[in-house]
Amino acid sequence: MTTPVTSEIVDLTVTRAAFDGVQIAYRDSAVGAGTPVVLVHGMGGDGHTWDRFAHTLVRSGRRVIIPDLRGHGRSAHTESYLFAEFGADVLNLCDRLGLDSVDLVGHSLGGYAVSCVAQERPELVRRLVIEECPMPLRSGDEEVRLTRRFPTIPELWHATTSLIRHPRAVLAFDRSMTRTALEQFRKPNPEWWDRLSDITAPTLVLRGGPGGMVDPEKLATMRTAIQNCAVAAFSCGHSIHRDRYREFEATVLPFLAAY
């Protein structure tokens, strides 16, 4: 099923595909040279968070595919929001489109989803970009350390104007997944950590500064586990592609263009 929409990146259609009974909506520029780029948003948003970067990629000649994760945007709400299911939806979409090689870029929850794809199907992923992905616990002995801080002025501004700026994303988001997500982050996931070594794609991890959600110790472990992994640090908080777009583009574009 397709619905015509007007996008800031190009006139596209929203297409919906059913995977295990869950309707996943996505936009696809359809044309482009080289490896297609799949852009995956974080929790509470939708694919339109990537419009600016997608526009740049399309202008450079790349094919761009932007899904809305289950429970977000134009995709269906469902009873289950396991992290592995978000990754399976992205992988199923790649298979549905007949893609044999992709570049994956994911922010936050989307970063977790694309990491699962790279673990499950390493030969599919040519380049992997993980932006500000909160990492799960490694073992039952690990303590949960919570820190309290005051939000920055830009974060307060983005939070208070989110409904005005992106009403569709805010209103479409299934808030029931928030509790499920927190439970999963608090539950040890040693299998995810063990499978990081299965990732063969050159990987770029983006971490923010104050306000970011990447634990430095876990990041060091992740960097060691993935055989070809680089880290780029930024001074902003959790949403680098939004708050430091020029720096984000200058870092990620050359990485995706490399062969």
Side-chain angles (χ1 to χ4, degrees), residues 2-15 26-31 47-48 51 54-55 58 62-66 74:
T2 60
T3 305
V5 296
T6 300
S7 164
E8 293 179 14
I9 57 172
V10 67
D11 287 342
L12 299 178
T13 58
V14 174
T15 303
Y26 65 95
R27 293 178 294 150
D28 184 355
S29 67
V31 296
H48 286 288
D51 280 359
H55 178 65
V58 170
R62 302 291 292 271
R63 179 184 177 184
V64 177
I65 299 154
I66 313 172
R74 294 180 172 88

Side-chain angles (χ1 to χ4, degrees), residues 108-170:
S108 194
L109 174 59
Y112 192 96
V114 298
S115 75
C116 291
V117 175
Q119 291 175 357
E120 186 68 26
R121 193 82 62 78
E123 72 279 5
L124 172 68
V125 184
R126 189 190 73 99
R127 296 255 156 181
L128 179 66
V129 179
I130 299 174
E131 176 193 352
E132 267 291 309
C133 173
M135 286 168 270
L137 301 180
R138 288 169 290 188
S139 70
D141 296 330
E142 187 178 5
E143 295 182 2
V144 181
R145 295 187 296 273
L146 300 178
T147 58
R148 296 182 60 86
R149 65 174 183 83
F150 290 106
T152 64
I153 291 176
E155 287 170 333
L156 284 173
W157 170 252
H158 285 300
T160 55
T161 61
S162 61
L163 183 59
I164 298 172
R165 294 179 300 114
H166 303 295
R168 180 184 293 275
V170 173

Side-chain angles (χ1 to χ4, degrees), residues 52 131 152 154-155 158 206-210 233-252:
R52 188 176 183 184
E131 176 193 352
T152 64
E155 287 170 333
H158 285 300
L206 311 181
R207 60 160 298 188
F234 297 79
S235 61
C236 61
H238 184 55
S239 189
I240 299 166
H241 73 275
R242 180 193 67 189
D243 298 338
R244 294 290 187 275
Y245 176 75
R246 294 296 184 190
E247 297 171 38
F248 172 88
E249 181 185 283
T251 301
V252 176

